[in-house]
């Protein structure tokens, strides 16, 4: 039977009502700010979950909301919108990306920017912190090396899935050519 047992992450074994070997397929989950061990219990004791397993399983099976980004813009002292819909940004020069994100809660998130070669082969991931305030995203960054970069919904959504975010993003790829000034 599946159980959700509230635990302290550093002392899981101490918080379990039976021997740890009876808890298989273990996974740490966080619900309402609390840590729980989600596992199959194979022992013989009568164990009551500390959280409703059915409610939890229904919640994790709900598809994440999709938030569409619109009005994407890139600005800065050495930024122009070049041929082919690619933003040209001078290397080692600050730029700002803004977008409207209707329905996105205030906070911060990490944006993954991929450096690409040969029209699409990813050779490096770099990170920039985004600030979300009143459904507007702002990213301030710069490219240290010249080259071709992109921000894609696919890559950001992979990261959002990994951290268990309750939403995914939808937007057209934003591409950059960072050039030597």
């Amino acid at each position: 039977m599946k159980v959700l047992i509230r635990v302290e992450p550093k002392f899981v074994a101490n918080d379990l009502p039976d021997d740890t070997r009876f808890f298989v397929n273990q996974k740490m989950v966080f619900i309402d700010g609390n840590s729980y061990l989600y596992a199959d219990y194979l022992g013989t004791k009568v164990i009551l979950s500390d959280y409703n397993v059915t409610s939890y399983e229904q919640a994790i099976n709900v598809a994440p909301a999709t938030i569409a980004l619109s009005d994407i813009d890139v600005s800065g002292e050495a930024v122009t919108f070049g041929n082919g819909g690619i933003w040209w940004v001078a290397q080692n020069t600050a730029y700002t990306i803004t977008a409207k994100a209707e329905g996105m809660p205030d906070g911060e998130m990490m944006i993954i920017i991929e450096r690409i070669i040969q029209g699409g082969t990813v050779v490096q991931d770099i990170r920039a912190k985004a600030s979300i305030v009143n459904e507007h995203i702002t990213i301030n960054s710069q490219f240290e090396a010249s080259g071709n970069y992109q921000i894609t919904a696919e890559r950001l959504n992979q990261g959002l899935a990994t951290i268990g975010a309750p939403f995914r993003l939808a937007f057209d790829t934003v591409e950059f050519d960072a050039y030597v000034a």
Side-chain angles (χ1 to χ4, degrees):
M1 90 173 158
K2 291 277 190 195
V3 293
L4 278 162
I5 306 297
R6 188 168 173 189
V7 294
E8 290 296 323
K10 292 182 180 179
F11 306 104
V12 172
N14 296 342
D15 293 337
L16 296 178
D18 202 349
D19 192 292
T20 57
R21 64 189 164 132
F22 295 123
F23 296 88
V24 298
N25 303 318
Q26 296 181 15
K27 180 179 175 184
M28 289 295 295
V29 298
F30 301 94
I31 305 168
D32 299 329
N34 296 306
S35 301
Y36 292 85
L37 179 74
Y38 177 60
D40 291 306
Y41 176 66
L42 304 178
T44 57
K45 291 184 178 181
V46 175
I47 295 180
L48 299 177
S49 287
D50 295 321
Y51 191 90
N52 185 296
V53 174
T54 302
S55 295
Y56 171 73
E57 290 176 337
Q58 287 174 345
I60 63 172
N61 289 324
V62 172
T66 298
I67 297 174
L69 302 186
S70 62
D71 301 330
I72 297 172
D73 189 45
V74 182
S75 61
E77 205 172 295
V79 174
T80 56
F81 195 57
N83 295 332
I86 299 172
W87 293 96
W88 296 353
V89 180
Q91 172 186 342
N92 293 317
T93 304
Y95 66 88
T96 300
I97 305 170
T98 58
K100 182 158 180 50
E102 194 171 320
M104 186 171 246
D106 286 359
E108 294 181 321
M109 71 180 285
M110 200 57 64
I111 301 299
I112 302 165
I113 304 170
E114 298 172 312
R115 186 168 191 213
I116 58 176
I117 60 171
Q118 300 174 348
T121 302
V122 177
V123 294
Q124 180 184 21
D125 276 353
I126 61 175
R127 305 293 194 270
K129 194 183 327 181
S131 172
I132 301 100
V133 178
N134 295 327
E135 298 183 336
H136 285 85
I137 297 176
T138 303
I139 305 160
N140 294 303
S141 193
Q142 65 181 7
F143 295 113
E144 293 179 3
S146 66
N148 190 208
Y149 297 85
Q150 67 182 7
I151 302 173
T152 68
E154 178 183 11
R155 181 63 182 99
L156 289 183
N157 289 336
Q158 287 173 347
L160 292 169
T162 298
I163 64 170
F167 61 90
R168 300 297 181 267
L169 299 173
F171 61 94
D172 291 332
T173 296
V174 181
E175 190 170 353
F176 304 90
D177 273 335
Y179 63 92
V180 177

